[in-house]
């Protein structure tokens, strides 16, 4: 049976002033459900045959607009139920249309989201949300506003604000993608209605520019590992750079957490902390030599970055951040002395790993050009789909 929606004057209840409540009546499967519109009308001003206020009814236009607005909401929800083949009753229809939004300000949801991400140990993404929250507070002065207040004009003003601050195009893009992501969370949690979504008009995809390639040649890698130094941290910087290059471009954070348990049958097996993907790659002989060089009896970690002293996640994160800064400072100095075309960092090893393999003719379906950028997850999926022997053969091109 089709559902019907119409306005009725509820004569079963009479108020002290003689008026009756104005209701929306939903009929479905021989059952009726009434929902008050929050106003009342005197029966002298109501046309019971046409179910609408008479011409002489006070506030007639406002009452008609309210009736039309509410009946439209119910009709649209009925249409959505039908197009998605969902069963519903008169009661469930009323509940769906009138389910209250969770009143949360932008500031409140950001704080909830940051706490949620930190509990999930997604510290990088949590930090990105913190950065955007602070940026928005500087821009708007406060965030005690609702998501429905963010419209096209607001987003354009925020973009102009970021440009005035001198932020790079890709940095602005990250800010907006994070803001868009939390807006989507607000919609999912019924904090804001989907029709307010401003990113249908404001296209975040425009905020992107190609970044300068961060890779060097195989010859440059040889010059780096041949660099002579008597400083322990500088030598550690060289060794970690080379280990990353030889080990599938493993990033510094993942290197920091490696222990002997990550070496299984001459393969390096670990789960990327960023993507949660399981990585299995062969350990090159030179990489094994580097591991052996730093082996310590009292430290379960392969490299002297973390130790048993660092117990909490905060201690570990702070330590990794501190050591990474020292390592990158050492690499930058080496790069300047060798007149390398780019600033040398640990991340250059990751890009160089992919670039050297590609230049050696390795199939891009095994190692794609954009390793470490937006297609990184796709690259890992490709890696997973090949036999170990194929990856082993490909990595021989690194030496």
């Amino acid at each position: 049976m089709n559902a019907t929606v119409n306005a009725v004057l509820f004569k079963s209840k009479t108020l002290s002033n003689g008026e009756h409540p104005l209701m929306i009546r939903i009929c479905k499967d021989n059952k009726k459900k009434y929902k008050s519109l929050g106003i009342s009308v005197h029966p002298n001003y109501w046309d019971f045959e046409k179910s609408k206020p008479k011409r002489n009814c006070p506030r007639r236009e406002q009452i008609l607009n309210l009736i039309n607005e509410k009946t439209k909401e119910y009709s649209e929800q009925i249409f959505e139920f039908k197009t998605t083949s969902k069963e519903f009753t008169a009661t469930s229809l009323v509940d769906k249309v009138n389910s209250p939004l969770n009143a949360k300000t932008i500031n409140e949801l950001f704080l909830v989201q940051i706490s949620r991400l930190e509990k999930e140990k997604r510290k990088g993404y949590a930090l990105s949300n913190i950065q955007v929250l602070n940026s928005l507070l500087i821009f708007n002065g406060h965030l005690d506003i609702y998501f429905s207040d963010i419209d096209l004009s607001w987003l354009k003003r925020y973009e102009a604000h970021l440009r005035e601050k001198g932020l790079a195009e890709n940095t602005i893009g990250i800010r907006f993608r994070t803001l868009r992501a939390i807006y989507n969370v607000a919609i999912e949690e019924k904090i804001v209605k989907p029709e307010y979504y401003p990113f249908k008009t404001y296209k975040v995809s425009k905020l992107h520019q190609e970044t300068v390639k961060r890779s060097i040649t195989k010859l440059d890698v040889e010059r780096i590992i041949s660099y002579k130094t008597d400083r322990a941290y500088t030598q550690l910087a060289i060794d970690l750079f080379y280990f990353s290059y030889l080990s599938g471009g493993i990033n510094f954070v993942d290197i920091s957490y490696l222990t002997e348990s990550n070496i299984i049958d001459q393969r390096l097996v670990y789960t990327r902390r960023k993507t949660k993907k399981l990585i299995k790659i062969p350990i090159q002989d030179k990489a094994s030599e580097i591991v052996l060089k730093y082996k310590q009896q009292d430290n379960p970690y392969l490299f002297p970055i973390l130790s048993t002293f660092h117990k909490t996640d905060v201690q570990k994160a702070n330590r990794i951040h501190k050591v990474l800064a020292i390592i990158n400072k050492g690499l930058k100095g080496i790069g300047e002395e060798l007149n390398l075309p780019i600033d040398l960092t640990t991340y250059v090893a990751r890009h160089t790993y992919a670039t050297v393999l590609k230049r050696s003719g390795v199939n891009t379906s095994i190692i794609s050009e954009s390793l470490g950028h937006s297609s990184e997850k796709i690259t890992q999926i490709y890696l997973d789909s090949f036999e170990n022997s194929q990856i082993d053969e490909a990595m021989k091109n690194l030496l």
Side-chain angles (χ1 to χ4, degrees):
M1 177 181 174
N2 290 330
T4 59
V5 180
N6 61 326
V8 296
L9 200 61
F10 197 66
K11 293 189 294 182
S12 298
K13 183 176 182 179
T14 304
L15 305 179
S16 59
N17 59 2
E19 295 181 349
H20 301 305
L22 186 59
M23 300 274 199
I24 288 291
R25 182 177 63 194
I26 298 96
C27 299
K28 175 76 164 59
D29 300 328
N30 294 319
K31 294 183 179 180
K32 298 177 181 178
K33 181 73 175 179
Y34 293 87
K35 182 64 181 177
S36 173
L37 290 178
I39 61 173
S40 57
V41 178
H42 197 280
N44 292 340
Y45 298 117
W46 186 258
D47 188 332
F48 288 94
E49 289 186 6
K50 297 181 179 179
S51 293
K52 66 179 183 179
K54 294 179 179 178
R55 291 185 179 275
N56 63 343
C57 179
R59 300 178 300 152
R60 183 175 186 271
E61 290 302 317
Q62 293 95 319
I63 294 173
L64 283 174
N65 288 338
L66 178 60
I67 292 172
N68 291 335
E69 179 184 331
K70 284 299 178 181
T71 53
K72 180 182 178 183
E73 285 184 24
Y74 284 102
S75 297
E76 287 178 348
Q77 186 57 56
I78 290 171
F79 180 76
E80 181 181 326
F81 279 141
K82 288 183 176 180
T83 54
T84 55
S85 300
K86 288 185 178 179
E87 294 293 332
F88 67 96
T89 64
T91 300
S92 65
L93 174 61
V94 171
D95 290 342
K96 181 70 174 177
V97 172
N98 294 280
S99 57
L101 292 174
N102 299 320
K104 272 194 180 75
T105 64
I106 295 173
N107 189 73
E108 288 171 336
L109 184 59
F110 258 107
L111 294 178
V112 169
Q113 181 73 348
I114 290 167
S115 176
R116 183 184 299 155
L117 292 170
E118 288 176 340
K119 288 178 181 177
E120 294 173 357
K121 300 189 183 302
R122 300 170 65 186
K123 296 188 179 298
Y125 195 26
L127 178 59
S128 179
N129 276 263
I130 292 171
Q131 290 171 338
V132 174
L133 173 60
N134 292 334
S135 172
L136 290 172
L137 285 170
I138 293 172
F139 161 66
N140 202 64
H142 67 88
L143 290 178
D144 292 327
I145 58 176
Y146 295 103
F147 281 89
S148 56
D149 293 319
I150 297 181
D151 56 15
L152 181 61
S153 174
W154 197 94
L155 292 175
K156 286 183 176 180
R157 285 189 285 109
Y158 179 48
E159 180 186 343
H161 164 78
L162 295 179
R163 294 192 185 283
E164 288 175 5
K165 292 286 185 181
L167 272 66
E169 190 77 6
N170 284 338
T171 302
I172 295 174
I174 292 171
R175 294 282 193 274
F176 272 87
R177 284 194 292 275
T178 304
L179 177 58
R180 181 180 62 185
I182 202 161
Y183 203 112
N184 287 329
V185 172
I187 292 175
E188 290 172 7
E189 297 186 2
K190 299 187 184 302
I191 294 170
V192 64
K193 293 182 178 180
E195 53 261 38
Y196 289 115
Y197 192 63
F199 295 101
K200 289 180 181 178
T201 307
Y202 185 95
K203 301 299 182 183
V204 177
S205 57
K206 68 177 182 177
L207 302 172
H208 173 74
Q209 68 181 24
E210 293 296 325
T211 53
V212 178
K213 288 185 178 180
R214 289 179 285 180
S215 63
I216 54 179
T217 65
K218 190 189 295 188
L219 179 60
D220 287 332
V221 173
E222 293 174 358
R223 292 172 65 202
I224 293 169
I225 62 177
S226 299
Y227 183 88
K228 301 299 181 184
T229 181
D230 56 1
R231 300 181 65 180
Y233 259 103
T234 303
Q235 187 58 54
L236 177 62
I238 294 170
D239 291 336
L240 291 178
F241 180 92
Y242 196 33
F243 180 84
S244 174
Y245 169 74
L246 294 171
S247 306
I250 180 174
N251 71 19
F252 188 82
V253 173
D254 289 324
I255 288 177
S256 303
Y257 282 94
L258 292 178
T259 65
E260 289 187 7
S261 64
N262 294 113
I263 300 177
I264 303 172
D265 297 330
Q266 294 302 305
R267 305 191 75 78
L268 186 63
V269 181
Y270 69 99
T271 300
R272 279 213 66 200
R273 302 185 76 83
K274 180 178 180 180
T275 62
K276 309 302 180 186
K277 291 291 295 183
L278 180 64
I279 309 297
K280 300 177 183 179
I281 53 175
I283 295 183
Q284 308 279 0
D285 289 340
K286 292 185 182 296
S288 294
E289 291 173 9
I290 295 172
V291 170
L292 187 62
K293 178 179 178 179
Y294 289 97
K295 186 174 182 179
Q296 301 174 61
Q297 295 297 328
D298 58 343
N299 190 359
Y301 297 99
L302 297 187
F303 297 102
I305 303 170
L306 295 175
S307 70
T308 53
F309 174 79
H310 308 103
K311 293 180 171 55
T312 69
D313 289 339
V314 173
Q315 286 177 322
K316 292 175 182 177
N318 290 340
R319 171 65 178 175
I320 291 171
H321 180 76
K322 180 180 179 180
V323 176
L324 177 58
I326 296 172
I327 295 299
N328 278 336
K329 182 179 180 181
L331 289 174
K332 183 178 180 181
I334 294 171
E336 290 174 349
E337 284 193 42
L338 297 178
N339 292 316
L340 296 181
I342 59 175
D343 287 342
L344 193 61
T345 67
T346 58
Y347 210 69
V348 171
R350 184 169 178 81
H351 281 260
T352 302
Y353 159 77
T355 304
V356 168
L357 289 188
K358 184 182 178 184
R359 289 173 179 168
S360 300
V362 174
N363 195 306
T364 54
S365 61
I366 299 179
I367 302 293
S368 77
E369 183 178 22
S370 36
L371 177 65
H373 289 99
S374 60
S375 299
E376 182 174 330
K377 291 182 180 179
I378 297 174
T379 304
Q380 295 299 342
I381 292 171
Y382 280 136
L383 286 169
D384 288 344
S385 68
F386 288 89
E387 297 295 331
N388 287 337
S389 59
Q390 291 176 284
I391 299 174
D392 293 3
E393 191 66 27
M395 290 183 68
K396 290 179 181 178
N397 290 282
L398 295 170
L399 303 173

